[in-house]
Structures are given as structure tokens and as C-alpha cells.
Amino acid sequence: MIKMNTICIIGLGYVGLPLACLCAEKGYNVLGLDLDKDIVEKTNHGISHIKDDVLEKKLGKLKGKIIASDNPDCLKEADIVIVCVPTPAIGSKPDLNPLENASKTVAKFLQKGQLVIIESTIYPGTVEEIVKPILESSGLKAGEDFFLGHCPERIDPGNKEFPIEKIPRVLACLSVEGTEKARKFYVSIIDAKINVLKSVKSAEAVKVVENTFRDVNIAFVNELAKSFDKMGIDLTEVIKGASTKPFGYMPFYPGPGVGGHCIAQDPYYLIDRAEKAGFEHKFLRLARKINEGMPEYVVSLVENALKAISKVENANIAVLGLSYKPDVDDIRQSPAIKIISMLEGKGMKLRIFDPFVKEKSNVKTLKEAVKNADLVILVTHHSEFIKSLTADFLKSNGVGMVLDLRNSLDKQSIIERGVLYNGIGR
Ligand code: SAJ
């Protein structure tokens, strides 16, 4: 039995850091490799560079158990190398540079018997067409001298119900032996089911399909919001009604657009690869277009709201929320950023507040943001916003109107207190 107890994780971000903690908790020797010296430094001092209370606690307890470095030499010690580097999209094009660079680094130190797993989100064919040739430039052969496969990450930042160890996984390697080694490893760290698939391409397709599924369904309700705004139908009530069907329906909710490092770009990995194979995903592209067009729709809602309160000029406007989803500090591809730049581009002066993104807020408290605001725009429905933004709070702070882009406030009581209210699709 070849020893498989030293893991090297390349990329200590939203995916690699929780994985490193989990492997350390399960008794593996864990090496972390990251280009960012600050991340290396913090990790070695048991400090999380990501704001997440669970991760911060774990890292503190595991101080010294994860040896982080920016020197790829450490790869030589590893039995298993797990690549968790970003796979972003630049516009609508996948950007595999970080993955290619990481693969070149692995190739330089590749050892016989090593198992290399890509966890980053990639398009079907990436392992065989991109990673494998780079690793085999070492002279070692995949499936014989080393093992190579894919186990897509499924981290859901901030989700306490599904921490990494509770999330089922799919995996496949290029060889049966590699798949068995990978399966044994993941079974040893994950408490949920490890699903072995027949091909690496299937494993690659699973991740982009599950996230594209979300993108098209969000686009569906975003388009409904625009149509129901015109027809004066309350979409939230319609979604609630449709959700009473115990089968065949799954609720999604309209909003200011799709942010984050997964849903906003994973569809492009599928669209782009299919296009290279000669298939045009018109529907998936349209869904992306609808979601990317939501910030613009929001700006039209803001302009209509200002007209409704006859404050087209010099209105006091509060924008609440910068992160892409509630209760996280991540602003990557956040629609809030696009909305703010468009509103400021129209000369509007904004008071911006997000308790999770204080460094980009321009006021210090929620009260300071909303005090005597003609218009309060709720962009990210952080739990503390939903709790604080009651009808009394809004009224007593002299708010003229609320534009609730997440349909998450109590519309009825706000209107009854004499504060104007608009939602999105309600
Ligand atoms: N959004 C809507 N309406 C919805 C759901 C989401 O507008 O009904 C928006 C969110 O506000 C956000 C964006 O879409 O801006 C993405 O939201 P998300 O809930 O999909 O959250 P993410 O981007 O963190 O997605 C992650 C994904 N996890 C991985 O890729 C490993 C996704 O697969 C998970 O399903 C998702 O978390 C989740 O369920 O929370």
C-alpha cells in the first residue's frame, strides 16, 4: 500500500483553504502552495485571509498543522496534489492561465506515483486536452507513472448547513487505478457520498451543468420580474404559489443580477467549449445576457422611483449592500458594483453601506446611510438589513421610498407607515 498521507493543495482561496483545514483535521500532512506571500504568512500563523467565522476558528486551532509556502519545492513531498486555483472568465471567455501555470509548476516537480486532482471548475476536456500534456512534458505518463483526474469543488461560501465535509462529490480519473486512489482519499475526508463517474469529461461537465442550471433559472425569474412589473403581478406571490407544488418545481428569486465567482462565469466554460465543438448554446447565452442586463434594469427602476417622488435632481440616495449575496464579504462580479458605477455615472450622489465590505462603504452605519434618504435601494439582503429595515425604522429615519431589489422587506407594513415601496417584479 503506497503511503498517501501528504497532501499539497495549490491555491489557498475559497476552495483550497477549507480543503486544507479538512485534510489537516483528518490527520493528513498538509502543505499549502500559494503565490500570495500574505496568504502564506497568515495561514502559517493560523489566520484566515477569508472572512468566515468557521474558517477563522479552524485555522486558529490548526496553526502549525498546515505548512504554507510560496516555494513549489514542497510539491516533491506530496503523495496527492490538489489544484484549487481560480478559473475565471474574461468577459465571456474562459481564462485557464492560472490552471496552466499551476500545471506547469506541478510538472516541474512531478513524482512517480503521485495523484494529481484538479478541483477548479473547468470545461469538459480540460484535463485531457490541457492539463495532461503539460504534466506529461515531465516525461512521466498519466495513468502509468502518475494519476490524474477531476473532482469539481462544490464549496458554498458561508453555507453553515453544508460545510465542505457534508457535500457529496463526483470524481473520475483517467485510469481505474487513479480513480480508486482518488475515491479512497475523498472517502477519508468527506462524510457524504463520493460518486465515481465513468469519465473525466462527465465529471467536468457536472459542475458547469449544475451552475448553468442555476444561471438559466435565475434568468427565467429575472425576465418574469420585468414582465410582471409591466403587468402589475406580484412575482413573489406567484413563486410562493408555484412552490406549493410538491414536485416538478424549484423556486428561484429575481434580483439585481448574478454575481460571484461561479454562476456568473461557469456557463461560459460550457458555451465556449461547445462552440469549439461546433454547437452554439443560444439559450445559455441569452440567459447570461438577461442576468448581465439586470443592473441596467435596476437603473431604470431607480430613475422611475426618483420621478415618482419628484426628486430627479439632488436626491439623497442610500445603496445598501455591495457583496454578491447575503452575509458574505465577496464582491466578485457583484451587481451592486455595476449598479453603483452606473448611478454615479448619471451624477447621483450615493451613500453606500455594507457591513461585510466596510472598506468600500462611504458611511459607517446603516442609520447614517438611510437617515433622511429620499430613496433607499436594497441590493444585498444581508440578514441584519432584513432585521433592521422595518417600517418603523424607515419612517422614523425620514425615508421617502424603498426600492427592494430582493423583495425581502415587509412591503405591506412599509406602505401602511406611509413610506413608498417598489420591489422587483412586485
Ligand atoms: N441569485 C439570484 N436568485 C436566486 C439565486 C441566486 O439572483 O434565486 C443570485 C445571487 O444573489 C448571487 C448569484 O445569483 O448574486 C449566485 O448566487 P448562488 O446562490 O448561486 O451562490 P454562489 O454563486 O455562491 O453559488 C454557489 C455555487 N457553489 C459552487 O459552485 C460550488 C452553487 O453551485 C451553489 O448551488 C450555490 O452556491 C448555493 O446554492 O448557494
Side-chain angles (χ1 to χ4, degrees), residues 400-413:
M401 180 171 188
V402 184
L403 181 53
D404 178 6
L405 298 173
R406 300 290 184 162
N407 295 332
S408 52
L409 301 180
D410 183 344
K411 172 178 178 178
Q412 209 40 47
S413 63

Side-chain angles (χ1 to χ4, degrees), residues 187-263:
V187 161
S188 76
I189 62 167
I190 303 285
D191 303 339
K193 191 156 178 345
I194 302 302
N195 302 280
V196 170
L197 301 188
K198 290 196 179 66
S199 84
V200 172
K201 278 199 176 74
S202 304
E204 293 165 322
V206 161
K207 176 65 186 288
V208 286
V209 163
E210 60 196 23
N211 280 355
T212 303
F213 163 82
R214 288 183 72 74
D215 197 49
V216 296
N217 278 286
I218 296 165
F220 170 48
V221 287
N222 280 340
E223 186 172 81
L224 280 179
K226 292 160 91 169
S227 114
F228 284 19
D229 272 341
K230 286 253 184 276
M231 295 192 283
I233 301 171
D234 182 342
L235 179 55
T236 42
E237 190 166 48
V238 171
I239 292 168
K240 232 182 256 152
S243 302
T244 59
K245 185 178 171 191
F247 49 82
Y249 179 77
M250 178 180 183
F252 284 83
Y253 303 94
V258 170
H261 57 297
C262 306
I263 315 303

Side-chain angles (χ1 to χ4, degrees), residues 11 18 31 93 113 141 149 154 157 165 186 193 230 241 253 258 273-274 296 365 384 386 398 409:
L31 307 167
K93 287 290 166 208
K141 188 117 180 61
R154 278 181 168 167
E165 64 275 15
Y186 280 99
K193 191 156 178 345
K230 286 253 184 276
Y253 303 94
V258 170
R273 185 61 188 77
E296 217 165 307
T365 64
E384 72 174 81
I386 296 180
L409 301 180

